Amino acid sequence: MTEVRHNWTQEEISEIYYSPLLDLVYRAATIHRENKDYSEVQISSLISIKTGGCPEDCAYCPQAARYNTGVDVHAIMPKDEVIAAAEKAKAGGASRLCMGAAWREVRDNRDFDKVIDMVKAVNSLDMEVCCTLGMLTESQAQRLADAGLYAYNHNLDTSEDDYKRIITTRTYDERLQTLDNVRKAHISVCSGGIIGLGETDADRISMLRTLSNLPQHPESVPINALVPVKGTPLADQPRVSVWDMVRMIATTKIVMPKSVVRLSAGRTEMSTVEQAFCFMAGANSIFAGEKLLTTPNPSFSDDMAMLELLGLKPREAFKNGRPGKKVEEAVEAN
């Protein structure tokens, strides 16, 4: 079995990243197939439970209040609508519901109390529950864990050096601190990044080095292709090449072999053949459903047809144990 390392250098990851594409895919696919369940794809559905009006200045985000992107601002979604969305997602084939709120950080108020109730309600539907709510304190992470939260998403987005070009309203260290707080609460960590922001290859490699050298690798690593949105500073960025996505996914699988690599935003621009290359390179998770917060995404029916064509199958919920079981024990069980 492939060794899990936490001491990767920039040079080592660069050598992997720049290796001939088919050799890179073959190496990643070989590592991927060391897992007996390599044909399983973890399917998540992402909904926006509080939309727009965010005080952050993330250059890619249509929900930032300072940009005129046409996104309507909505207060926090009622719990019954969240439950209905979860039931629809489960019927469509999703095993996990991820709830996103356009907040800079979680505040200890009535809205957070509502999120806690949502987590409990969705968990009772026999679905894994994920949240992405911005920065999180250790005590807030523990509240979510006690409510049954399975995973928490908090992406690094890009390298530490490139970060200030994309976001100035919070620091890279604050993002890492949130990941640490999530880990302390024994919640599964979901953290990756976005390519196509105008970053260099070195930035992409540096981001993977940061994630792969954490004391414990994220259980899930989303690789997003930027979806340019009119009104944001990155509206005119060109589409990312599918081969850049394949290269990133394969490199991620090699340096973090036990992590689930999620083929995330940008799939609407990819053909079935292009997505098949991503699965071959080690992707074994997708977001399904017509929207990713506010941007388009393939439908459940289209994704189920694609998985059937490729001989892949949806992964069942709680394959690595229920909330409350230490994440590190769950990973060993995989």
Side-chain angles (χ1 to χ4, degrees), residues 229-244:
V229 177
K230 185 177 179 181
T232 64
L234 299 181
D236 296 326
Q237 282 295 120
R239 178 193 170 193
V240 170
S241 163
V242 65
W243 307 119
D244 284 359

Side-chain angles (χ1 to χ4, degrees), residues 104-143:
R104 179 178 187 272
E105 60 198 341
V106 173
R107 298 186 183 277
D108 295 308
N109 56 21
R110 285 181 295 179
D111 280 350
F112 188 40
D113 293 340
K114 292 176 183 177
V115 173
I116 294 296
D117 287 341
M118 293 175 191
V119 171
K120 292 176 180 177
V122 176
N123 194 41
S124 70
L125 298 176
D126 205 32
M127 292 186 77
E128 298 171 5
V129 192
C130 176
C131 282
T132 179
L133 312 170
M135 292 187 293
L136 199 65
T137 66
E138 192 173 341
S139 62
Q140 290 164 344
Q142 190 58 56
R143 272 194 78 188

Side-chain angles (χ1 to χ4, degrees), residues 21-277:
L21 184 64
L22 294 183
D23 290 346
L24 175 63
V25 171
Y26 180 82
R27 181 177 174 185
T30 302
I31 290 171
H32 188 33
R33 277 153 180 73
E34 289 179 355
N35 179 351
K36 64 181 183 300
D37 298 323
Y38 71 88
S39 63
E40 291 184 344
V41 177
Q42 194 276 315
I43 300 175
S44 296
S45 182
L46 177 61
I47 62 170
S48 178
I49 60 171
K50 186 271 175 184
T51 304
C54 182
E56 300 267 45
D57 68 352
C58 306
Y60 53 81
C61 185
Q63 300 201 65
R66 65 193 69 204
Y67 308 139
N68 183 16
T69 61
V71 169
D72 293 328
V73 177
H74 294 289
I76 196 162
M77 185 184 289
K79 185 173 75 171
D80 59 343
E81 292 184 20
V82 172
I83 294 172
E87 290 173 337
K88 181 180 178 181
K90 184 176 181 180
S95 60
R96 179 180 298 183
L97 185 77
C98 187
M99 299 182 288
W103 294 332
R104 179 178 187 272
E105 60 198 341
V106 173
R107 298 186 183 277
D108 295 308
N109 56 21
R110 285 181 295 179
D111 280 350
F112 188 40
D113 293 340
K114 292 176 183 177
V115 173
I116 294 296
D117 287 341
M118 293 175 191
V119 171
K120 292 176 180 177
V122 176
N123 194 41
S124 70
L125 298 176
D126 205 32
M127 292 186 77
E128 298 171 5
V129 192
C130 176
C131 282
T132 179
L133 312 170
M135 292 187 293
L136 199 65
T137 66
E138 192 173 341
S139 62
Q140 290 164 344
Q142 190 58 56
R143 272 194 78 188
L144 288 165
D146 292 342
L149 189 73
Y150 188 90
Y152 195 84
N153 167 260
H154 200 64
N155 290 332
L156 296 184
D157 289 342
T158 186
S159 70
E160 185 172 8
D161 289 343
D162 188 45
Y163 184 80
K164 289 180 181 179
R165 184 179 63 87
I166 305 300
I167 304 160
T168 67
T169 47
R170 77 174 94 164
T171 68
Y172 211 69
D173 284 343
E174 285 175 321
R175 287 190 181 259
L176 291 170
Q177 184 59 58
T178 290
L179 296 183
D180 188 51
N181 292 339
V182 169
R183 183 64 74 196
K184 288 176 181 175
H186 300 300
I187 296 170
S188 177
V189 171
C190 176
S191 186
I194 307 170
I195 66 172
L197 301 171
E199 76 287 347
T200 65
D201 286 350
D203 289 319
R204 298 174 184 179
I205 292 161
S206 178
M207 182 190 72
L208 292 181
R209 179 174 55 83
T210 298
L211 290 169
S212 63
N213 287 347
L214 290 173
Q216 187 174 340
H217 293 167
E219 282 70 39
S220 178
V221 182
I223 302 298
N224 297 274
L226 176 70
V227 179
V229 177
K230 185 177 179 181
T232 64
L234 299 181
D236 296 326
Q237 282 295 120
R239 178 193 170 193
V240 170
S241 163
V242 65
W243 307 119
D244 284 359
M245 286 291 288
V246 170
R247 197 171 284 281
M248 274 295 287
I249 287 167
T251 306
T252 302
K253 176 56 66 175
I254 291 167
V255 300
M256 290 177 275
K258 295 291 186 181
S259 298
V260 168
V261 183
R262 178 173 291 132
L263 175 57
S264 295
R267 287 201 301 121
T268 53
E269 301 295 326
M270 298 171 69
S271 69
T272 297
V273 171
E274 290 172 337
Q275 292 181 71
F277 255 95

Side-chain angles (χ1 to χ4, degrees), residues 263-315:
L263 175 57
S264 295
R267 287 201 301 121
T268 53
E269 301 295 326
M270 298 171 69
S271 69
T272 297
V273 171
E274 290 172 337
Q275 292 181 71
F277 255 95
C278 293
F279 290 122
M280 176 69 73
N284 56 338
S285 178
I286 58 172
F287 277 122
E290 294 177 358
K291 274 193 175 183
L292 293 183
L293 297 179
T294 60
T295 56
N297 196 56
S299 68
F300 278 112
S301 59
D302 288 345
D303 280 334
M304 292 304 112
M306 176 181 66
L307 294 185
E308 183 176 3
L309 174 67
L310 299 178
L312 302 173
K313 57 189 177 183
R315 176 174 171 161

